Every structure is written in structure tokens, then in C-alpha cells.
């Protein structure tokens, strides 16, 4: 394996971008790109720095083992990365970020852009196993609006486990929470726990409405769908307990009643 291939393999094994290597060595990204494409080679000082960075000997970096009959593990790994890794970065930028950055493959591939897609994605619109940004979709999402398995969002969170101002999920925690287990100021779910209004099969709150309500003011339903309680009844109870609660919020909480 020749030098440029080894350098690319070692960089990806460490989960580093060309920019990351350039920053650590105090060179430009273009210099690292030329090394990896075989257009130029680093001087001795940079070779020493590369060997320290990747914890390999200079000899193993520069010696070409392509003539060897042995099947080295690093060669196998290199072609595995070649097949499985894909990266695209648009030349157009906005606020110093590429409009689109896609970086997917084995390891910790990081994508940063306005639209970011990667194992780890950071962007205004991000998609990945771990997604951070404005609008996020991922196994773990962290942003303004999030959708995924585990979601932490400032505004809207939708997921298996969601935390946000408005949270919807299997377990939902938020100002307004809707889910199997819902915890918040206003909660609606199979098990609803709220500081103000809880509505659900099991409801625990200042105002509790459901089949098994526990609270200061309660409405008990004898129907699985709560259809024996009218929206008017529910609103009267809520307004009595919280007369200053905005009308739009009260109507939102009681929208499923007849």
C-alpha cells in the first residue's frame, strides 16, 4: 500500500476529516488533500508529526508493501472503507457551512452543513444516528425540532423518548406532553401526570380527567375513549381551576372530547 492510501486509511480510522488533520499539523486542508491524492508529499517534519498523530512509525508510513504476497489487515480495512464510505460536500456555502455535506460509512463519520447527513450530523437540517441542529432526524436528536428514538428539543420533540416544550412519544416530558406516559404541565396519555391538567386512563394532576383520576378537581370517565365526558364539561372544570389559562390551550387540551 502506497503512502497516500495509508494516510487516508489512518485518517478515517481515527474519524478525522482532512480539515482535522490539517489543523493538528498546522497546514492547509489543500496540503492534506494533495498528500492523499499523491500530488505532493510532506516534508520530514510533517512525516514525524503524522507518525506521532497516528501512532505509527515513519517507515510504515512511507514504505510501499504493495509487492508483498501477504494479505495485511490494513489493506483489507482500506478497501472496506473504500467500499463502505461515501462523502460529498457541496462547494457552495452559507455562513461558512457547505449547503450539503453527506458523510456516511464505518466509524464516526461527521457531517457538518446546512443539510447534514452522516453517522454524526450537525446542521440546520440534520439526519443521522446522532443528529444536532435546527430540524433533526436521528436515533438521538438534539435541536429545535426533533424526531427520533431519543429526542431532546427546545420546541417540538417526537420520538420513543421525547423531551421538549411540546413532546409526543412513548414517554413524553414537556410543557404539553402526549404519549403512553406523559409528564408535564398539560399531559395527555395512558398514564398522564401533570402540574395543571392531566387527561388519560390514569390521570394525576391538579385537574385530573380519566378512568382513574387523582387530583384536587376530577372528572371520572367510564368509557375507554372518554366519550362520556363532553368538551364543555372538561373546559368548565379547567377554567374553574385555572381561569387565566389561554383559551387556545384549553381547547387544545380538550380537543378529543365530544
Amino acid at each position: 500500500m502506497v503512502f497516500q492510501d495509508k494516510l487516508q486509511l489512518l485518517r478515517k480510522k481515527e474519524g478525522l476529516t482532512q480539515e482535522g488533520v490539517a489543523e493538528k499539523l498546522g497546514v492547509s486542508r489543500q496540503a492534506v488533500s494533495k498528500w492523499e491524492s499523491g500530488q505532493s508529499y510532506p516534508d520530514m517534519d510533517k512525516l514525524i508529526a503524522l507518525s506521532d498523530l497516528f501512532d505509527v512509525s515513519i517507515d510504515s508510513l512511507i514504505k510501499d508493501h504493495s509487492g508483498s504476497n501477504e494479505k495485511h489487515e490494513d489493506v483489507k480495512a482500506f478497501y472496506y472503507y473504500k467500499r463502505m464510505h461515501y462523502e460529498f460536500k457541496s462547494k457552495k456555502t452559507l455562513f461558512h457551512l457547505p449547503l450539503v455535506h453527506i458523510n456516511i460509512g464505518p466509524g464516526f463519520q461527521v457531517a457538518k452543513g446546512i443539510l447534514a447527513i452522516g453517522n454524526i450530523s450537525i446542521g440546520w437540517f440534520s439526519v443521522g444516528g446522532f443528529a444536532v441542529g435546527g430540524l433533526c432526524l436521528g436515533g438521538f436528536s438534539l435541536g429545535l425540532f426533533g424526531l427520533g428514538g431519543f429526542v431532546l428539543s427546545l420546541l417540538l420533540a417526537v420520538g420513543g423518548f421525547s423531551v421538549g416544550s411540546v413532546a409526543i412519544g412513548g414517554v413524553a416530558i414537556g410543557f404539553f406532553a402526549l404519549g403512553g406516559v406523559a409528564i408535564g404541565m398539560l399531559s395527555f396519555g395512558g398514564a398522564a401526570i401533570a402540574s395543571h391538567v392531566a387527561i388519560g386512563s390514569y390521570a394525576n394532576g391538579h385537574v385530573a380527567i380519566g378512568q382513574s383520576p387523582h387530583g384536587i378537581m376530577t372528572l371520572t370517565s367510564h368509557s375507554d375513549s372518554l366519550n362520556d365526558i363532553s368538551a364543555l364539561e372538561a373546559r368548565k372544570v379547567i377554567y374553574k381551576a385555572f381561569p387565566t389559562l389561554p383559551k387556545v390551550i384549553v381547547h387544545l387540551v380538550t380537543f378529543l372530547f365530544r
Side-chain angles (χ1 to χ4, degrees):
M1 183 183 292
V2 294
F3 168 76
Q4 56 261 38
D5 291 341
K6 291 179 182 178
L7 177 57
Q8 187 179 154
L9 172 61
L10 290 168
R11 173 176 65 79
K12 291 182 177 180
K13 276 185 175 181
E14 294 296 321
L16 292 171
T17 62
Q18 289 182 345
E19 290 90 340
V21 173
E23 184 178 343
K24 290 179 181 294
L25 268 63
V27 299
S28 67
R29 187 200 64 79
Q30 288 77 10
V32 178
S33 177
K34 287 181 179 180
W35 296 345
E36 291 192 357
S37 63
Q39 297 178 49
S40 66
Y41 293 90
D43 57 26
M44 182 55 68
D45 288 342
K46 300 308 178 191
L47 279 173
I48 294 172
L50 284 169
S51 70
D52 290 339
L53 176 62
F54 298 122
D55 194 25
V56 295
S57 67
I58 294 177
D59 183 68
S60 66
L61 268 176
I62 62 177
K63 185 176 290 186
D64 183 1
H65 297 289
S66 58
S68 174
N69 292 323
E70 297 180 5
K71 294 185 178 180
H72 299 291
E73 289 301 317
D74 61 344
V75 176
K76 294 180 181 179
F78 172 75
Y79 285 107
Y80 174 72
Y81 273 97
K82 279 281 191 182
R83 289 196 309 269
M84 302 301 293
H85 179 252
Y86 173 78
E87 182 173 11
F88 167 79
K89 184 183 291 187
S90 65
K91 294 182 179 179
K92 291 186 176 180
T93 63
L94 183 64
F95 302 117
H96 304 293
L97 288 173
L99 290 179
V100 179
H101 188 191
I102 302 171
N103 192 10
I104 53 178
F108 296 98
Q109 307 299 341
V110 179
K112 296 180 181 179
I114 302 303
L115 170 61
I117 302 174
N119 299 25
I120 300 172
S121 58
I122 303 170
W124 289 11
F125 305 94
S126 59
V127 180
F130 186 96
V132 180
L135 176 60
C136 307
L137 172 62
F140 185 99
S141 297
L142 176 63
L144 292 177
F145 302 90
L147 175 64
F150 187 98
V151 184
L152 296 175
S153 291
L154 183 62
L155 298 178
L156 173 64
V158 181
F161 185 98
S162 57
V163 179
S165 296
V166 177
I168 303 171
V171 177
I173 301 173
F175 172 81
F176 178 84
L178 174 64
V181 177
I183 303 171
M185 181 177 173
L186 308 168
S187 301
F188 195 107
I193 302 170
S195 62
H196 284 52
V197 181
I199 301 172
S201 298
Y202 170 85
N204 192 321
H206 187 97
V207 174
I209 303 172
Q211 287 92 350
S212 180
H214 301 271
I216 295 174
M217 302 181 69
T218 63
L219 275 178
T220 302
S221 171
H222 302 287
S223 168
D224 291 339
S225 59
L226 305 180
N227 60 12
D228 56 343
I229 297 176
S230 70
L232 183 59
E233 288 178 287
R235 288 168 190 164
K236 282 183 178 179
V237 172
I238 294 171
Y239 278 130
K240 187 174 181 180
F242 304 105
T244 60
L245 205 59
K247 184 177 180 180
V248 64
I249 292 180
V250 176
H251 280 259
L252 180 64
V253 171
T254 59
F255 77 100
L256 287 180
F257 293 107
R258 58 181 174 84

